[in-house]
Structure formats: C-alpha cells, structure tokens
Amino acid sequence: MAIKSGQLNFTCCYQYRAFEHYLLPAAQWAKQREALLEQAGLSAWRDFATVQTTLQAQLQAQFAATNAHLSGADNPHAHRTPAGRYRLTTPRLPAEQPRLPAHLFPRHRVVPLREVLTSVARLTQFDTAFGSLPSKHARTPPPLSQLLATLVGLGCNLGLRRLAQVAPQVDEAALQRLASTHFSLDNLRQANELILDFTRRLRLREAFRLSPDVLRSSSDGQKYDLAVDSLSGSASFKYFGNRRGLTAYSYVDETLLVFDSTVFSAADREATHLLDGLLRHAVRPTDVHSTDTHGYTEVIFAVTRMLGIAYEPRIRQLTNQQLYSWEPVATHRQLGQTLLPDARIDPERIARHWDEVLRLVVTLKLRHSEASRLFGRLNSYARQHPLYRALKELGRLVKTEFLLRYVDQVELRQRIHKQLNKGESAHRLAHAVWHGRNQEFHAATRSEQLVAETCKRLLMNAIVCWNYLHLSQHLAQLPPEQQAATLATLSPFAVLSYRHLNLHGEYDFSDQPLPAEAPFDMDLIATWQPPSKPA
C-alpha cells in the first residue's frame, strides 16, 4: 500500500519511482529552461503574471457574455432551477446516421477481408513497415499472404492456432515466428501511420470536416473480458461480474480515422491515459478534443490548454459542477449576474509552483515521459502533491471558462455530441472486427495486449480506407450534376460500413476435400456400455 500511495519509491522499478524521476532532470531544466520552452512552443507561458492577466480577462469576459445572454432571450435552452443553478436542454440534430447506403456498396457479392487488405497494402505499402526487426535477422518484409494471415489472426481475435486450423493454406509455426519477430508495437504503429497518411490525402475526407482549419477528435474506452490471468486486468462488477477485464481506449477524428489506441486496466480512470494518444501525434495536432463526462479532470483541462488543445468534454449533471473566478463572488453579484462562481481560486498557489508546472508540461510535450505514467504516479500520493494542487487550481479556471461557453452555446453542445457519436460508431466497427473467441482478450502481458489491439486498429483503418476509395470512385463516375446531390446526402458514417464485407471467413461445402464416409465406428459405438456410476 505504501508503494502505490507514493510513500515508498524504488529507483530500480520504472513504475514506482519517485515522481521527480519522471520529469526532465532539474539540472537540465535550470540550465536550458528558455531553450526548452521555445522547443516545446510554450514561450508565451513563461511568466505567470502575464498568463494571469490574460486568463483573468478572458474569464471575466465569458462570465459577462454568458450572463448577458441568460438575462435576455438569447439562450432559450438554459432554465434556472429554484436553487439558482441552470439546467440545459439541447435540441437533437437531424439523423446523422441514416440507413446504410447499400446502393453505394457492392450488392451482388460480399468483399473478402483479404481483398480489402491486399488492395490497401498495394496502395499504402503498409506491409513495408514489417521489414524492421529488433534483432540482426534479414530486414526484408515477410510474404504478404503470411503477413495478412497473422494480422487477421491477431486483429480479429481468432488466434493464430485457430486460424491455421481453419485455413489449411497457412502454417501455424510460420505465423507464430512472424508474430514474434516482425509484429512489434513500433512496426504496427508505423503500418497504421502509412494507412492514415494515405487516407488523409483523399479529397472525400475533406468533405466530412466541419472546418478545413480545425481538426476535431474524441476518445473513449470499450470494456473487454480477460480470458487468462493477467496483471493488467482488474475486477469491475459493473462490466465483468466476478471476472476481470481491460479497457481498450481509442482515438477517432471527425473523418472516422482511428489514429491511436491503447489498453489499460479497467480500474484506471480514462483521463489518466487521455494525453498519451494526443501527444504521440504531435506532428498532426488535434485542435479540439472531446470525451465523455468520466474522461476529464481539472488537471487535464489545465494541461491541454497549455498544450494548445481545446478540450471540450460532454458534461452530464451540470448542476453539480462548481464554477470558480479570480475575484470574490461578491464582485460578480454586484454586477447583477445570475450565473455566479461558487468560490474563488488561490492564484498564489499556482504562482508558487509555476516553474514546476512549466517543467511538467515541457516534459510531456517533448515526450520525455509517458503522460499516463507521470499522472498515474502524481495521482497515487496519499496526500495531494503540491504540483497536483497547483495544476488543479489552474484547471478549475479553464474548466469554468469552458462550462460558461457550454451553457451559452447550444451549437457547442451539439458539436460535442456529434463527435462522440462518431466514436461510438467506431466502437461498433471494432466490435464487428474483434469477433473471435467470444471477444475476450487471451493475451496475458500488456505488450501482447497492445499488439493485438493495434492489429485490430490496423484492420479498422484498412476498412475505412477501402470504403473511402470505393465511395470516391463511385462519386467520380457519376455525372457532374449528380455528384453534389449524392455527396450532400452521404453521411461520414458510411466509411464505417462493414455489412458489405466478409469478416468471418469462407465456408467450404465442396465434396472434394471431405472424406467419402463419416469418420465414426458405429459398431463400436453401438456395443459400448457406459460404466456404472460409483455408489
């Protein structure tokens, strides 16, 4: 218990080191502070006095704007309760996911998954990512047929042994060797990036974005049972009953590309792992990111703001949320405002630890440590760490500004809901792909679980890429006067369609491979007597 609570630390165990060990070295930070801030793009945050002036002015302006709209008739969807709080109603958007546009996909045949993967491999060259080996073996890509068989065995949760038993063209030993030598997590992530890079260049994808200058995304977790004993799993009666399970956490952008995923214990809070996938893709940063209510903390609000990411979670139970301000509550009451802060923050607490806050955010931005590892250790201390309390205080201000906009703008709430619906639709595709072995994880170690999850993500992105290509070709073949009308009725959810695909393999009912007679000795069966039961 002392180890998990941070009272006892180890230098020989990466997971349970002191929190200081995860940050940039103190000597390096003291010597290169300005250069590191510049490298991380955080120069504008170097002086807390300037930051305080900017954040204070923004929050005051948002309090004034939101209250002005509440006092007039500009916000008919906010209703004041007898307790002085506000309850929101959000009009539902028109149906965003119409019936599957069957006329746009093959109707006279189902497309085998192998055909999808082969076509995508030829165009994206994702198979070349598997030529890199951690050892000194030959650095050549494996045969495409074996590569795809291993991908399907792991990504569809069939297992390589089961796949070799139902597919006589492949050899189990060859697939096992291929999985152990070429299917590293780095190779799989690189293969996914090749598919994503290719799909991002397709023009149809841009038609599904709300704005060409802003990239929106969301993340959410799915719960999976564990079929084996594993230190990575945890009990959760709500999801698994008396069994143990995992959370598979995936990131989806507004064009339905699954740009990252990870696996962690079902007992972990999702907010702890939120930043991992976003920071791994800093080359193409997400501008706006959304999660469900359980995906946020005040610390996440603070860090995402400093990283330049607009964090917009969906908020349930708005009446339970606390609002904060720089000024005393009486100052807002004197201005005649009805939506008042509940408390005043302590700016001195932030100022005292501002240099440590900057050091932490630079550590994350430069990927010196994983965000989940850093926050997991920071949250584990029996008493709240001073740095954690400073981040929480800053996050309360950022969250308050967001909540004021959340109350004020019905369009904001609708955009968040729309993006989260895309994540739920991606979960349905993941459910269809991960169909083998009762949809349970059969990998015991976290590294094996991550490999299986990333294989599943690769299959999903290959399907999305193939659908984009098929729909693009269909639209290009239409007469010019029909293209605009067809595109206007085409939902982005169409690229997640899978009913036209054969994900479950093929059945062989030909006479040739089967024996002429049934393989049973009926005489032996007829004369056999069951042994008598013991008394």
Side-chain angles (χ1 to χ4, degrees), residues 324-394:
Y324 297 86
S325 69
W326 296 91
E327 308 82 20
V329 178
T331 302
H332 293 266
R333 188 177 288 111
Q334 291 169 1
L335 294 173
Q337 297 178 354
T338 56
L339 182 57
L340 299 171
D342 299 282
R344 181 185 183 185
I345 63 118
D346 181 7
E348 290 300 319
R349 175 175 291 172
I350 307 173
R352 280 195 304 270
H353 301 283
W354 187 244
D355 194 64
E356 299 162 60
V357 169
L358 291 176
R359 182 182 168 200
L360 180 143
V361 179
V362 170
T363 298
L364 293 176
K365 187 64 179 289
L366 300 184
R367 298 183 61 187
H368 179 77
S369 295
E370 280 191 343
S372 58
R373 185 69 64 196
L374 194 151
F375 284 121
R377 197 56 177 152
L378 184 62
N379 294 337
S380 69
Y381 283 89
R383 300 178 64 182
Q384 284 191 353
H385 194 285
L387 175 56
Y388 182 87
R389 287 189 287 178
L391 280 168
K392 188 174 181 179
E393 204 77 4
L394 177 62

Side-chain angles (χ1 to χ4, degrees), residues 453-473:
E453 170 62 27
T454 312
C455 285
K456 179 183 73 173
R457 179 163 68 94
L458 192 150
L459 297 181
M460 294 172 63
N461 283 323
I463 291 171
V464 170
C465 179
W466 192 93
N467 285 340
Y468 263 115
L469 291 165
H470 180 82
L471 293 171
S472 298
Q473 179 171 285

Side-chain angles (χ1 to χ4, degrees), residues 274-508:
L274 170 67
L275 291 173
D276 284 343
L278 298 179
L279 291 170
R280 248 193 305 270
H281 298 267
V283 177
R284 298 179 196 83
T286 292
D287 300 298
V288 181
H289 189 75
S290 298
T291 65
D292 221 329
T293 303
H294 55 269
Y296 84 86
T297 63
E298 283 86 358
V299 171
I300 294 298
F301 268 104
V303 175
T304 50
R305 177 66 174 270
M306 296 182 71
L307 291 173
I309 300 171
Y311 182 48
E312 298 180 348
R314 177 165 57 192
I315 302 295
R316 299 185 190 275
Q317 303 295 331
L318 182 67
T319 55
N320 296 335
Q321 298 297 322
Q322 301 291 306
L323 301 180
Y324 297 86
S325 69
W326 296 91
E327 308 82 20
V329 178
T331 302
H332 293 266
R333 188 177 288 111
Q334 291 169 1
L335 294 173
Q337 297 178 354
T338 56
L339 182 57
L340 299 171
D342 299 282
R344 181 185 183 185
I345 63 118
D346 181 7
E348 290 300 319
R349 175 175 291 172
I350 307 173
R352 280 195 304 270
H353 301 283
W354 187 244
D355 194 64
E356 299 162 60
V357 169
L358 291 176
R359 182 182 168 200
L360 180 143
V361 179
V362 170
T363 298
L364 293 176
K365 187 64 179 289
L366 300 184
R367 298 183 61 187
H368 179 77
S369 295
E370 280 191 343
S372 58
R373 185 69 64 196
L374 194 151
F375 284 121
R377 197 56 177 152
L378 184 62
N379 294 337
S380 69
Y381 283 89
R383 300 178 64 182
Q384 284 191 353
H385 194 285
L387 175 56
Y388 182 87
R389 287 189 287 178
L391 280 168
K392 188 174 181 179
E393 204 77 4
L394 177 62
R396 285 171 171 172
L397 294 169
V398 180
K399 186 185 78 168
T400 297
E401 183 184 350
F402 167 72
L403 289 175
L404 292 171
R405 291 190 294 111
Y406 195 82
V407 170
D408 194 33
Q409 302 171 17
V410 65
E411 297 83 3
L412 170 63
R413 304 196 297 272
Q414 290 174 330
R415 284 199 307 268
I416 295 171
H417 183 73
K418 183 177 181 179
Q419 179 58 41
L420 292 177
N421 279 349
K422 294 180 178 180
E424 293 294 335
S425 297
H427 284 344
R428 285 191 284 272
L429 176 58
H431 186 84
V433 170
W434 189 256
H435 61 80
R437 296 190 288 185
N438 202 30
Q439 295 197 329
E440 299 171 327
F441 268 92
H442 287 251
T445 66
R446 187 168 186 268
S447 59
E448 293 173 332
Q449 293 159 2
L450 284 170
V451 165
E453 170 62 27
T454 312
C455 285
K456 179 183 73 173
R457 179 163 68 94
L458 192 150
L459 297 181
M460 294 172 63
N461 283 323
I463 291 171
V464 170
C465 179
W466 192 93
N467 285 340
Y468 263 115
L469 291 165
H470 180 82
L471 293 171
S472 298
Q473 179 171 285
H474 179 89
L475 290 168
Q477 291 173 343
L478 292 175
E481 62 274 9
Q482 295 183 18
Q483 293 182 12
T486 303
L487 184 58
T489 60
L490 183 61
S491 167
F493 292 97
V495 301
L496 293 176
S497 302
Y498 58 88
R499 301 302 176 99
H500 57 290
L501 304 177
N502 181 8
L503 300 175
H504 298 271
E506 299 177 353
Y507 298 94
D508 186 358

